[in-house]
Amino acid sequence: MTTASADSTTVALTKGGASLVDLVVDVPEVRIVVTGPRMLIDRLVLVTTLSPFDGCTAHRVAELAESLEGTVHCGLVGVRPAEIGVESNRSGVLLSVGLGPASMYQSELALRTRTGETFRALIGRLLTDDPARPFFAGLYGVPATGHLEHQHAHPAEGGGHGHP
């Protein structure tokens, strides 16, 4: 499910639903409703067709992470800042967006550009040397592993059953 307005677009990530959120959009804010944050979907990571040869270098991915801000609206624990960062791995770097504490219910991530640019403009400016060239950039909902509801979550993360 996707809805749009002049300033934002909203996408739902649910069991059996879409797992990609298109970021090549002409709005400065994307709202992502997530069913089962950290229980069904662990976190979001940037996926793109751009490579370092196109200009999508580790430095530019880090610059993109610094150009984003967000909040996670969790029904049981309120509003928290979204954790946005860059992780290094064997194949390069990965921009990662946290979804807040584990819950079997829903949370809403409001992800915004700090500059007020649209996501299309910001990503085109930072990750490619030729923004006119067609490309895809989006957030992938990484499936959660294990059975968090049966594990003892750290109290600061809101418990293991979606309860504080």
Short mmCIF file of all heavy atoms in Angstrom, two decimals, residues 75-146:
data_model
loop_
_atom_site.label_atom_id
_atom_site.label_comp_id
_atom_site.label_asym_id
_atom_site.label_seq_id
_atom_site.Cartn_x
_atom_site.Cartn_y
_atom_site.Cartn_z
N GLY A 75 3.61 3.00 19.24
CA GLY A 75 2.42 3.15 20.05
C GLY A 75 2.61 2.92 21.53
O GLY A 75 1.99 3.58 22.35
N LEU A 76 3.49 2.01 21.89
CA LEU A 76 3.65 1.66 23.29
C LEU A 76 4.69 2.49 24.03
O LEU A 76 4.61 2.62 25.24
CB LEU A 76 4.00 0.17 23.42
CG LEU A 76 2.94 -0.77 22.87
CD1 LEU A 76 3.46 -2.19 22.83
CD2 LEU A 76 1.68 -0.69 23.71
N VAL A 77 5.66 3.04 23.31
CA VAL A 77 6.74 3.77 23.99
C VAL A 77 6.90 5.20 23.49
O VAL A 77 7.84 5.88 23.87
CB VAL A 77 8.09 3.02 23.89
CG1 VAL A 77 8.03 1.71 24.66
CG2 VAL A 77 8.48 2.78 22.46
N GLY A 78 6.03 5.66 22.62
CA GLY A 78 6.09 7.05 22.16
C GLY A 78 6.99 7.24 20.95
O GLY A 78 7.26 6.33 20.20
N VAL A 79 7.46 8.47 20.81
CA VAL A 79 8.27 8.86 19.65
C VAL A 79 9.74 8.84 20.04
O VAL A 79 10.13 9.38 21.08
CB VAL A 79 7.85 10.26 19.16
CG1 VAL A 79 8.71 10.69 17.98
CG2 VAL A 79 6.38 10.28 18.79
N ARG A 80 10.54 8.25 19.17
CA ARG A 80 12.00 8.18 19.39
C ARG A 80 12.71 8.60 18.11
O ARG A 80 12.19 8.41 17.01
CB ARG A 80 12.42 6.75 19.72
CG ARG A 80 11.87 6.25 21.01
CD ARG A 80 12.38 4.87 21.27
NE ARG A 80 11.96 4.45 22.59
CZ ARG A 80 12.43 3.40 23.20
NH1 ARG A 80 13.32 2.64 22.61
NH2 ARG A 80 12.02 3.08 24.39
N PRO A 81 13.94 9.12 18.24
CA PRO A 81 14.72 9.41 17.03
C PRO A 81 15.07 8.10 16.31
O PRO A 81 15.34 7.09 16.95
CB PRO A 81 15.99 10.07 17.55
CG PRO A 81 15.77 10.34 19.00
CD PRO A 81 14.62 9.50 19.46
N ALA A 82 15.03 8.14 15.00
CA ALA A 82 15.43 6.96 14.22
C ALA A 82 16.95 6.86 14.21
O ALA A 82 17.65 7.86 14.09
CB ALA A 82 14.91 7.09 12.79
N GLU A 83 17.44 5.65 14.33
CA GLU A 83 18.87 5.40 14.25
C GLU A 83 19.24 5.21 12.78
O GLU A 83 18.79 4.26 12.15
CB GLU A 83 19.25 4.18 15.07
CG GLU A 83 19.04 4.38 16.56
CD GLU A 83 19.42 3.15 17.36
OE1 GLU A 83 20.05 2.21 16.82
OE2 GLU A 83 19.07 3.11 18.55
N ILE A 84 20.03 6.14 12.26
CA ILE A 84 20.47 6.08 10.87
C ILE A 84 21.98 6.04 10.87
O ILE A 84 22.62 6.91 11.48
CB ILE A 84 19.97 7.32 10.09
CG1 ILE A 84 18.44 7.42 10.16
CG2 ILE A 84 20.45 7.27 8.64
CD1 ILE A 84 17.88 8.73 9.69
N GLY A 85 22.55 5.04 10.24
CA GLY A 85 24.00 4.93 10.26
C GLY A 85 24.52 4.17 9.07
O GLY A 85 23.77 3.69 8.22
N VAL A 86 25.84 4.05 9.04
CA VAL A 86 26.53 3.34 7.97
C VAL A 86 27.33 2.22 8.61
O VAL A 86 28.09 2.44 9.54
CB VAL A 86 27.44 4.29 7.16
CG1 VAL A 86 28.20 3.53 6.10
CG2 VAL A 86 26.61 5.40 6.53
N GLU A 87 27.13 1.01 8.10
CA GLU A 87 27.85 -0.17 8.58
C GLU A 87 28.83 -0.61 7.50
O GLU A 87 28.48 -0.64 6.33
CB GLU A 87 26.88 -1.32 8.83
CG GLU A 87 25.74 -1.01 9.77
CD GLU A 87 24.66 -2.09 9.76
OE1 GLU A 87 24.89 -3.19 9.20
OE2 GLU A 87 23.58 -1.83 10.29
N SER A 88 30.04 -0.95 7.91
CA SER A 88 31.01 -1.49 6.96
C SER A 88 30.86 -3.00 6.90
O SER A 88 30.58 -3.65 7.91
CB SER A 88 32.44 -1.16 7.41
OG SER A 88 32.64 0.23 7.36
N ASN A 89 31.03 -3.54 5.71
CA ASN A 89 31.04 -4.99 5.55
C ASN A 89 32.01 -5.35 4.44
O ASN A 89 32.64 -4.47 3.85
CB ASN A 89 29.62 -5.53 5.29
CG ASN A 89 29.00 -4.98 4.03
OD1 ASN A 89 29.66 -4.85 3.00
ND2 ASN A 89 27.72 -4.65 4.09
N ARG A 90 32.12 -6.60 4.12
CA ARG A 90 33.10 -7.05 3.13
C ARG A 90 32.88 -6.45 1.75
O ARG A 90 33.82 -6.26 0.99
CB ARG A 90 33.08 -8.57 3.02
CG ARG A 90 33.69 -9.24 4.19
CD ARG A 90 33.67 -10.72 3.98
NE ARG A 90 34.47 -11.37 5.00
CZ ARG A 90 34.62 -12.66 5.09
NH1 ARG A 90 34.03 -13.45 4.21
NH2 ARG A 90 35.36 -13.17 6.03
N SER A 91 31.63 -6.18 1.41
CA SER A 91 31.36 -5.67 0.07
C SER A 91 31.33 -4.15 0.00
O SER A 91 31.09 -3.58 -1.05
CB SER A 91 30.04 -6.24 -0.46
OG SER A 91 28.97 -5.78 0.33
N GLY A 92 31.56 -3.48 1.11
CA GLY A 92 31.57 -2.01 1.12
C GLY A 92 30.88 -1.47 2.34
O GLY A 92 31.18 -1.87 3.46
N VAL A 93 29.94 -0.56 2.13
CA VAL A 93 29.20 0.02 3.24
C VAL A 93 27.70 -0.14 3.00
O VAL A 93 27.25 -0.33 1.87
CB VAL A 93 29.53 1.51 3.45
CG1 VAL A 93 30.99 1.70 3.84
CG2 VAL A 93 29.19 2.33 2.23
N LEU A 94 26.97 -0.06 4.08
CA LEU A 94 25.53 -0.25 4.04
C LEU A 94 24.88 0.83 4.89
O LEU A 94 25.19 0.96 6.07
CB LEU A 94 25.22 -1.63 4.63
CG LEU A 94 23.88 -2.26 4.42
CD1 LEU A 94 23.61 -2.48 2.94
CD2 LEU A 94 23.84 -3.59 5.16
N LEU A 95 24.00 1.63 4.29
CA LEU A 95 23.22 2.59 5.06
C LEU A 95 22.08 1.82 5.71
O LEU A 95 21.37 1.07 5.04
CB LEU A 95 22.67 3.69 4.15
CG LEU A 95 21.96 4.83 4.88
CD1 LEU A 95 22.24 6.14 4.17
CD2 LEU A 95 20.49 4.60 5.00
N SER A 96 21.93 1.98 7.02
CA SER A 96 20.96 1.22 7.78
C SER A 96 20.07 2.17 8.58
O SER A 96 20.54 3.17 9.12
CB SER A 96 21.71 0.28 8.73
OG SER A 96 20.82 -0.44 9.53
N VAL A 97 18.77 1.85 8.64
CA VAL A 97 17.81 2.65 9.39
C VAL A 97 17.11 1.73 10.38
O VAL A 97 16.50 0.73 9.98
CB VAL A 97 16.77 3.32 8.46
CG1 VAL A 97 15.80 4.17 9.26
CG2 VAL A 97 17.46 4.16 7.39
N GLY A 98 17.19 2.08 11.67
CA GLY A 98 16.53 1.30 12.71
C GLY A 98 15.04 1.57 12.77
O GLY A 98 14.56 2.62 12.33
N LEU A 99 14.31 0.62 13.34
CA LEU A 99 12.85 0.72 13.41
C LEU A 99 12.33 0.87 14.83
O LEU A 99 11.14 0.72 15.07
CB LEU A 99 12.23 -0.52 12.76
CG LEU A 99 12.55 -0.70 11.28
CD1 LEU A 99 12.03 -2.05 10.78
CD2 LEU A 99 11.98 0.44 10.47
N GLY A 100 13.22 1.17 15.77
CA GLY A 100 12.77 1.34 17.15
C GLY A 100 12.72 0.02 17.88
O GLY A 100 13.25 -0.99 17.42
N PRO A 101 12.06 0.01 19.03
CA PRO A 101 12.02 -1.20 19.85
C PRO A 101 11.18 -2.30 19.21
O PRO A 101 10.29 -2.03 18.40
CB PRO A 101 11.39 -0.72 21.16
CG PRO A 101 10.61 0.48 20.80
CD PRO A 101 11.35 1.12 19.65
N ALA A 102 11.46 -3.52 19.61
CA ALA A 102 10.73 -4.67 19.09
C ALA A 102 9.27 -4.60 19.53
O ALA A 102 8.95 -4.24 20.66
CB ALA A 102 11.36 -5.96 19.61
N SER A 103 8.40 -4.94 18.59
CA SER A 103 6.96 -4.93 18.88
C SER A 103 6.27 -5.88 17.90
O SER A 103 6.64 -5.96 16.74
CB SER A 103 6.39 -3.53 18.72
OG SER A 103 4.97 -3.54 18.81
N MET A 104 5.24 -6.55 18.38
CA MET A 104 4.46 -7.38 17.47
C MET A 104 3.37 -6.56 16.81
O MET A 104 2.61 -7.06 15.99
CB MET A 104 3.89 -8.58 18.20
CG MET A 104 2.98 -8.28 19.34
SD MET A 104 2.57 -9.83 20.16
CE MET A 104 1.96 -9.22 21.70
N TYR A 105 3.29 -5.30 17.14
CA TYR A 105 2.28 -4.42 16.57
C TYR A 105 2.88 -3.60 15.44
O TYR A 105 3.60 -4.12 14.62
CB TYR A 105 1.65 -3.56 17.66
CG TYR A 105 1.06 -4.41 18.77
CD1 TYR A 105 1.65 -4.46 20.02
CD2 TYR A 105 -0.06 -5.22 18.53
CE1 TYR A 105 1.12 -5.26 21.02
CE2 TYR A 105 -0.58 -6.03 19.52
CZ TYR A 105 0.01 -6.05 20.77
OH TYR A 105 -0.51 -6.84 21.74
N GLN A 106 2.62 -2.31 15.39
CA GLN A 106 3.12 -1.48 14.30
C GLN A 106 3.89 -0.29 14.84
O GLN A 106 3.64 0.18 15.95
CB GLN A 106 1.97 -0.94 13.45
CG GLN A 106 1.36 -1.94 12.55
CD GLN A 106 0.33 -1.31 11.61
OE1 GLN A 106 -0.24 -0.28 11.90
NE2 GLN A 106 0.13 -1.94 10.48
N SER A 107 4.80 0.20 14.01
CA SER A 107 5.45 1.49 14.26
C SER A 107 5.43 2.24 12.94
O SER A 107 5.20 1.65 11.88
CB SER A 107 6.88 1.31 14.77
OG SER A 107 7.70 0.74 13.78
N GLU A 108 5.65 3.54 13.03
CA GLU A 108 5.73 4.34 11.81
C GLU A 108 7.03 5.12 11.83
O GLU A 108 7.31 5.86 12.77
CB GLU A 108 4.56 5.32 11.71
CG GLU A 108 4.64 6.14 10.43
CD GLU A 108 3.51 7.16 10.30
OE1 GLU A 108 3.54 8.15 11.06
OE2 GLU A 108 2.65 6.95 9.45
N LEU A 109 7.81 4.92 10.79
CA LEU A 109 9.06 5.64 10.62
C LEU A 109 8.79 6.83 9.70
O LEU A 109 8.28 6.65 8.59
CB LEU A 109 10.12 4.74 9.98
CG LEU A 109 11.39 5.41 9.46
CD1 LEU A 109 12.21 5.99 10.61
CD2 LEU A 109 12.22 4.42 8.66
N ALA A 110 9.09 8.03 10.17
CA ALA A 110 9.01 9.23 9.33
C ALA A 110 10.45 9.61 9.01
O ALA A 110 11.21 10.05 9.88
CB ALA A 110 8.31 10.36 10.07
N LEU A 111 10.86 9.41 7.77
CA LEU A 111 12.23 9.66 7.32
C LEU A 111 12.22 10.90 6.45
O LEU A 111 11.45 10.98 5.50
CB LEU A 111 12.74 8.44 6.54
CG LEU A 111 14.21 8.42 6.15
CD1 LEU A 111 15.10 8.40 7.40
CD2 LEU A 111 14.48 7.20 5.28
N ARG A 112 13.10 11.87 6.78
CA ARG A 112 13.12 13.15 6.08
C ARG A 112 14.54 13.51 5.65
O ARG A 112 15.51 13.12 6.27
CB ARG A 112 12.64 14.27 7.02
CG ARG A 112 11.21 14.18 7.44
CD ARG A 112 10.86 15.21 8.50
NE ARG A 112 11.55 15.00 9.77
CZ ARG A 112 11.21 14.08 10.66
NH1 ARG A 112 10.21 13.28 10.44
NH2 ARG A 112 11.88 13.96 11.78
N THR A 113 14.59 14.33 4.60
CA THR A 113 15.87 14.90 4.21
C THR A 113 16.10 16.14 5.08
O THR A 113 15.18 16.93 5.30
CB THR A 113 15.89 15.30 2.72
OG1 THR A 113 14.92 16.32 2.49
CG2 THR A 113 15.58 14.10 1.82
N ARG A 114 17.29 16.30 5.60
CA ARG A 114 17.61 17.47 6.43
C ARG A 114 17.65 18.76 5.61
O ARG A 114 17.45 19.84 6.14
CB ARG A 114 18.96 17.29 7.11
CG ARG A 114 18.99 16.25 8.18
CD ARG A 114 20.38 16.18 8.81
NE ARG A 114 20.48 15.12 9.77
CZ ARG A 114 20.29 15.26 11.07
NH1 ARG A 114 19.97 16.43 11.57
NH2 ARG A 114 20.40 14.24 11.88
N THR A 115 17.91 18.63 4.32
CA THR A 115 18.07 19.80 3.45
C THR A 115 16.75 20.32 2.90
O THR A 115 16.72 21.41 2.34
CB THR A 115 18.97 19.43 2.25
OG1 THR A 115 18.31 18.39 1.50
CG2 THR A 115 20.34 18.97 2.69
N GLY A 116 15.68 19.53 3.02
CA GLY A 116 14.41 19.91 2.42
C GLY A 116 14.29 19.51 0.96
O GLY A 116 13.25 19.67 0.34
N GLU A 117 15.39 18.98 0.40
CA GLU A 117 15.35 18.48 -0.98
C GLU A 117 14.45 17.25 -1.04
O GLU A 117 14.24 16.59 -0.03
CB GLU A 117 16.75 18.02 -1.42
CG GLU A 117 17.78 19.07 -1.58
CD GLU A 117 19.16 18.46 -1.81
OE1 GLU A 117 19.49 18.22 -2.99
OE2 GLU A 117 19.87 18.21 -0.82
N THR A 118 13.97 16.96 -2.23
CA THR A 118 13.26 15.69 -2.39
C THR A 118 14.28 14.56 -2.29
O THR A 118 15.49 14.76 -2.48
CB THR A 118 12.55 15.62 -3.76
OG1 THR A 118 13.54 15.58 -4.79
CG2 THR A 118 11.60 16.80 -3.95
N PHE A 119 13.79 13.36 -2.00
CA PHE A 119 14.69 12.21 -1.97
C PHE A 119 15.36 12.01 -3.32
O PHE A 119 16.54 11.71 -3.39
CB PHE A 119 13.94 10.95 -1.53
CG PHE A 119 13.84 10.81 -0.05
CD1 PHE A 119 12.75 11.31 0.64
CD2 PHE A 119 14.84 10.18 0.67
CE1 PHE A 119 12.66 11.19 2.02
CE2 PHE A 119 14.78 10.07 2.05
CZ PHE A 119 13.68 10.56 2.73
N ARG A 120 14.59 12.18 -4.41
CA ARG A 120 15.17 12.02 -5.75
C ARG A 120 16.34 12.98 -5.95
O ARG A 120 17.41 12.58 -6.42
CB ARG A 120 14.11 12.27 -6.82
CG ARG A 120 14.64 12.10 -8.25
CD ARG A 120 13.63 12.53 -9.31
NE ARG A 120 12.33 11.93 -9.14
CZ ARG A 120 11.94 10.77 -9.68
NH1 ARG A 120 12.78 10.10 -10.45
NH2 ARG A 120 10.72 10.30 -9.48
N ALA A 121 16.16 14.25 -5.57
CA ALA A 121 17.22 15.26 -5.77
C ALA A 121 18.42 14.96 -4.88
O ALA A 121 19.57 15.04 -5.32
CB ALA A 121 16.67 16.66 -5.50
N LEU A 122 18.17 14.63 -3.60
CA LEU A 122 19.27 14.37 -2.67
C LEU A 122 20.09 13.16 -3.10
O LEU A 122 21.32 13.22 -3.17
CB LEU A 122 18.73 14.16 -1.26
CG LEU A 122 19.77 13.87 -0.18
CD1 LEU A 122 20.68 15.08 0.04
CD2 LEU A 122 19.08 13.47 1.12
N ILE A 123 19.42 12.06 -3.42
CA ILE A 123 20.13 10.85 -3.82
C ILE A 123 20.84 11.07 -5.15
O ILE A 123 21.99 10.67 -5.33
CB ILE A 123 19.16 9.66 -3.89
CG1 ILE A 123 18.70 9.32 -2.47
CG2 ILE A 123 19.81 8.45 -4.56
CD1 ILE A 123 17.54 8.35 -2.40
N GLY A 124 20.19 11.76 -6.08
CA GLY A 124 20.82 12.06 -7.37
C GLY A 124 22.05 12.93 -7.21
O GLY A 124 23.05 12.75 -7.91
N ARG A 125 22.01 13.87 -6.27
CA ARG A 125 23.15 14.77 -6.04
C ARG A 125 24.30 14.04 -5.35
O ARG A 125 25.47 14.24 -5.68
CB ARG A 125 22.70 15.96 -5.19
CG ARG A 125 23.82 16.94 -4.85
CD ARG A 125 23.29 18.19 -4.16
NE ARG A 125 22.61 17.97 -2.90
CZ ARG A 125 23.23 17.82 -1.72
NH1 ARG A 125 24.55 17.83 -1.66
NH2 ARG A 125 22.54 17.65 -0.62
N LEU A 126 23.98 13.15 -4.40
CA LEU A 126 25.03 12.53 -3.60
C LEU A 126 25.56 11.20 -4.14
O LEU A 126 26.74 10.91 -3.99
CB LEU A 126 24.54 12.31 -2.16
CG LEU A 126 24.31 13.56 -1.34
CD1 LEU A 126 23.80 13.19 0.05
CD2 LEU A 126 25.59 14.39 -1.23
N LEU A 127 24.73 10.38 -4.73
CA LEU A 127 25.15 9.02 -5.05
C LEU A 127 25.48 8.76 -6.50
O LEU A 127 25.92 7.66 -6.84
CB LEU A 127 24.09 8.01 -4.59
CG LEU A 127 23.79 7.98 -3.08
CD1 LEU A 127 22.87 6.82 -2.77
CD2 LEU A 127 25.06 7.92 -2.25
N THR A 128 25.28 9.75 -7.38
CA THR A 128 25.61 9.51 -8.78
C THR A 128 26.25 10.75 -9.38
O THR A 128 25.92 11.87 -9.00
CB THR A 128 24.37 9.09 -9.61
OG1 THR A 128 24.77 8.91 -10.96
CG2 THR A 128 23.25 10.10 -9.52
N ASP A 129 27.18 10.52 -10.28
CA ASP A 129 27.80 11.63 -11.01
C ASP A 129 26.94 12.08 -12.18
O ASP A 129 27.19 13.12 -12.77
CB ASP A 129 29.19 11.20 -11.52
CG ASP A 129 30.16 10.95 -10.38
OD1 ASP A 129 30.01 11.58 -9.31
OD2 ASP A 129 31.06 10.10 -10.56
N ASP A 130 25.91 11.27 -12.52
CA ASP A 130 25.02 11.59 -13.64
C ASP A 130 23.57 11.36 -13.20
O ASP A 130 22.99 10.31 -13.48
CB ASP A 130 25.36 10.73 -14.85
CG ASP A 130 24.48 11.03 -16.06
OD1 ASP A 130 23.71 12.02 -16.02
OD2 ASP A 130 24.55 10.26 -17.03
N PRO A 131 22.95 12.34 -12.51
CA PRO A 131 21.59 12.14 -12.00
C PRO A 131 20.54 11.96 -13.10
O PRO A 131 19.44 11.50 -12.83
CB PRO A 131 21.30 13.39 -11.18
CG PRO A 131 22.44 14.30 -11.34
CD PRO A 131 23.52 13.61 -12.10
N ALA A 132 20.87 12.29 -14.34
CA ALA A 132 19.92 12.09 -15.44
C ALA A 132 19.85 10.62 -15.86
O ALA A 132 18.89 10.19 -16.48
CB ALA A 132 20.31 12.96 -16.63
N ARG A 133 20.88 9.86 -15.51
CA ARG A 133 20.91 8.44 -15.84
C ARG A 133 19.91 7.70 -14.95
O ARG A 133 19.84 7.94 -13.75
CB ARG A 133 22.32 7.91 -15.56
CG ARG A 133 22.50 6.43 -15.79
CD ARG A 133 23.95 6.03 -15.40
NE ARG A 133 24.09 4.61 -15.37
CZ ARG A 133 23.87 3.86 -14.29
NH1 ARG A 133 23.50 4.41 -13.16
NH2 ARG A 133 24.04 2.56 -14.34
N PRO A 134 19.11 6.80 -15.51
CA PRO A 134 18.14 6.06 -14.69
C PRO A 134 18.84 5.21 -13.63
O PRO A 134 19.87 4.59 -13.89
CB PRO A 134 17.42 5.16 -15.70
CG PRO A 134 17.69 5.77 -17.04
CD PRO A 134 19.02 6.46 -16.93
N PHE A 135 18.27 5.20 -12.43
CA PHE A 135 18.80 4.38 -11.35
C PHE A 135 17.68 4.07 -10.37
O PHE A 135 16.64 4.72 -10.38
CB PHE A 135 19.97 5.07 -10.62
CG PHE A 135 19.58 6.33 -9.89
CD1 PHE A 135 19.16 6.29 -8.57
CD2 PHE A 135 19.64 7.57 -10.52
CE1 PHE A 135 18.80 7.44 -7.89
CE2 PHE A 135 19.29 8.72 -9.85
CZ PHE A 135 18.86 8.66 -8.53
N PHE A 136 17.90 3.07 -9.54
CA PHE A 136 16.97 2.76 -8.46
C PHE A 136 17.71 2.93 -7.15
O PHE A 136 18.88 2.56 -7.02
CB PHE A 136 16.45 1.31 -8.55
CG PHE A 136 15.61 0.95 -7.35
CD1 PHE A 136 14.30 1.36 -7.25
CD2 PHE A 136 16.16 0.23 -6.29
CE1 PHE A 136 13.53 1.06 -6.13
CE2 PHE A 136 15.41 -0.06 -5.16
CZ PHE A 136 14.09 0.35 -5.09
N ALA A 137 17.03 3.47 -6.17
CA ALA A 137 17.52 3.53 -4.79
C ALA A 137 16.30 3.36 -3.90
O ALA A 137 15.27 4.00 -4.11
CB ALA A 137 18.22 4.85 -4.51
N GLY A 138 16.42 2.47 -2.95
CA GLY A 138 15.29 2.23 -2.06
C GLY A 138 15.75 1.61 -0.77
O GLY A 138 16.93 1.33 -0.57
N LEU A 139 14.81 1.44 0.12
CA LEU A 139 15.07 0.79 1.39
C LEU A 139 14.47 -0.61 1.37
O LEU A 139 13.30 -0.78 1.01
CB LEU A 139 14.48 1.60 2.54
CG LEU A 139 15.12 2.96 2.77
CD1 LEU A 139 14.33 3.75 3.82
CD2 LEU A 139 16.58 2.81 3.20
N TYR A 140 15.27 -1.58 1.75
CA TYR A 140 14.85 -2.97 1.80
C TYR A 140 14.56 -3.33 3.25
O TYR A 140 15.38 -3.08 4.13
CB TYR A 140 15.95 -3.87 1.23
CG TYR A 140 15.73 -5.35 1.47
CD1 TYR A 140 14.65 -6.01 0.87
CD2 TYR A 140 16.58 -6.07 2.28
CE1 TYR A 140 14.45 -7.36 1.09
CE2 TYR A 140 16.39 -7.42 2.49
CZ TYR A 140 15.32 -8.06 1.91
OH TYR A 140 15.11 -9.40 2.11
N GLY A 141 13.40 -3.93 3.50
CA GLY A 141 13.06 -4.40 4.83
C GLY A 141 13.71 -5.74 5.10
O GLY A 141 13.26 -6.76 4.59
N VAL A 142 14.78 -5.73 5.89
CA VAL A 142 15.54 -6.95 6.19
C VAL A 142 14.70 -7.82 7.14
O VAL A 142 14.32 -7.36 8.22
CB VAL A 142 16.89 -6.62 6.85
CG1 VAL A 142 17.64 -7.88 7.25
CG2 VAL A 142 17.73 -5.75 5.92
N PRO A 143 14.41 -9.06 6.74
CA PRO A 143 13.62 -9.93 7.62
C PRO A 143 14.35 -10.18 8.94
O PRO A 143 15.57 -10.37 8.97
CB PRO A 143 13.49 -11.23 6.82
CG PRO A 143 13.75 -10.85 5.41
CD PRO A 143 14.72 -9.70 5.46
N ALA A 144 13.58 -10.19 10.02
CA ALA A 144 14.15 -10.50 11.33
C ALA A 144 14.47 -11.99 11.38
O ALA A 144 13.85 -12.80 10.70
CB ALA A 144 13.15 -10.12 12.42
N THR A 145 15.47 -12.32 12.18
CA THR A 145 15.83 -13.72 12.36
C THR A 145 15.58 -14.10 13.82
O THR A 145 15.48 -13.24 14.68
CB THR A 145 17.31 -13.97 12.01
OG1 THR A 145 18.12 -13.12 12.82
CG2 THR A 145 17.58 -13.68 10.54
N GLY A 146 15.49 -15.37 14.07
CA GLY A 146 15.25 -15.83 15.43
C GLY A 146 13.79 -15.63 15.81
O GLY A 146 12.94 -15.31 14.99
#
